[in-house]
Amino acid sequence: MKSRTRREFGCLTGAMVLAGLAPRLAAGEAKAKVVVVGGGIGGATAAKYLAASTRTIEITLVEPKLNYTTCFFSNLYLAGLCSLESLTHGYKTLAQRYGINVIHDSVAAVDPVAKTVGLKSGPKLPYDRVVVAPGIAFNYEALAGYDEAATQIIPHAWNAGPQTQLLRRQLESMEDGGVFVLVAPPNPFRCPPAPYERASLVAYYFKQHKPRSRILILDAKDSFNSQDLFLDAWERHYRGMIEWLPAQFTGGIKAIDVKGRSVKTASETFKAAVANVIPPQIAGQFAQQNGLVDQSGWCPVDPITFESKLQPGIHVVGDATSAGDMPKSAFVANSQAKACAFAIAAALTGSERQSPHLFNTCYTFLSPDDAVSNAVSFKPVAGTIKIIDNFVSQVQESVETRHQAAREAQSWYAAFTRDTFR
């Protein structure tokens, strides 16, 4: 494995997008039908790229919500650096420009024998292939004292929208000098750097508005993604404001006292002015109910087509997958969805199947003008997916390099969401 520069990775990922817009597909005589379940990054990308690939497939996207708010960049909202509206995207362009039939409904179940997707409102949609992007669910049973009802008092804010707004209001109303307790989940979970980016940007908010306040991270792990970059940034930007306690120090998280707004560990109970509990995670409920999940709690998939290893004809993309070295991130969901779309198009039109190009690119803010990035390329190897190349920001980077990364991150967000929803 060799390391590349950030610029080289930009060229690679751009080439992937251009290749995806002009695949060599043969026209079929009859329209095949593909139903995509879930309109997050994975589902919306799969629907768009199938539609952009060929006019010989009829595509239906089923999503209950009218809009999608990105979880990535929502930590900027918590810091007061952007609005939630700026992170919210609709499906009109997918319908109008690409001819995708967008249905706002929930799916009751997939019948793999009859090859139909049943909607909760009653109709059944026939399909030749179905793509599901069920995302994550929270494993409340693994965290004593914390359940879905508790999220209205102690938010997880791990799905952007009302939960993020609730946490923001609590931070705004917190008295200066209070302690913000953040419970970080065990691996694997959605967006590995995000809990620590959240701590960084909440510290930035405190520094501007509540400078006597502190942040305590109670981690279910003994180490975390890009730890050296975060520890360096916390010392430079927020000295004395952020304390990280690994599981080996506390003995692990034992329970959440919602009424007392405190977190119990094996060694001590920590009282919070504001608490943010990010629970352990598993594949989304839809995946669990439709036989797509193995004993790991995630969905095993073919590393080339992303077809389920448990339910033939059903493809799974995004955070719910168990996909080798690929982390659970929005860019990974986008990359998997493109590979899946091209594989389905090839199978249904009889055209040549292309080898998938799989990438992850992630920007993380340490302060508004200090950002780092992580870019990785992957390849299917021996039935799984392995890292073959990477770029990672280094601790000793210059101030100007970090400023440039922060500017690139804003452009990345605009280009990425345009690639998915427009």
Side-chain angles (χ1 to χ4, degrees), residues 289-371:
Q289 293 174 340
N290 286 275
L292 298 167
V293 174
D294 66 12
Q295 66 279 5
S296 72
W298 304 98
C299 304
V301 293
D302 180 279
I304 297 175
T305 65
F306 290 89
E307 186 172 6
S308 169
K309 290 184 177 179
L310 304 178
Q311 295 286 357
I314 300 178
H315 299 251
V316 187
V317 297
D319 293 340
T321 60
S322 175
D325 291 343
M326 299 191 88
K328 302 184 185 305
S329 78
F331 202 95
V332 159
N334 175 278
S335 185
Q336 292 179 351
K338 288 172 181 171
C340 176
F342 297 147
I344 290 174
L348 295 180
T349 63
S351 60
E352 181 183 358
R353 192 172 72 181
Q354 304 291 318
S355 297
H357 299 275
L358 300 169
F359 298 95
N360 182 48
T361 300
C362 175
Y363 284 89
T364 303
F365 283 91
L366 305 170
S367 77
D369 58 0
D370 185 346

Side-chain angles (χ1 to χ4, degrees), residues 110-180:
V110 176
D111 184 337
V113 177
K115 285 198 165 186
T116 58
V117 172
L119 303 181
K120 285 193 175 176
S121 61
K124 293 184 178 180
L125 308 175
Y127 72 81
D128 293 287
R129 295 293 177 109
V130 61
V131 181
V132 302
I136 58 153
F138 299 115
N139 185 8
Y140 292 117
E141 294 180 359
L143 197 55
Y146 193 71
D147 57 18
E148 189 166 0
T151 65
Q152 299 307 307
I153 300 171
I154 297 180
H156 55 70
W158 216 237
N159 288 324
Q163 278 282 294
T164 326
Q165 292 173 306
L166 175 59
L167 182 57
R168 171 68 187 272
R169 289 195 299 271
Q170 291 182 350
L171 292 171
E172 289 176 332
S173 61
M174 191 184 92
E175 292 186 2
D176 189 12
V179 177
F180 171 56

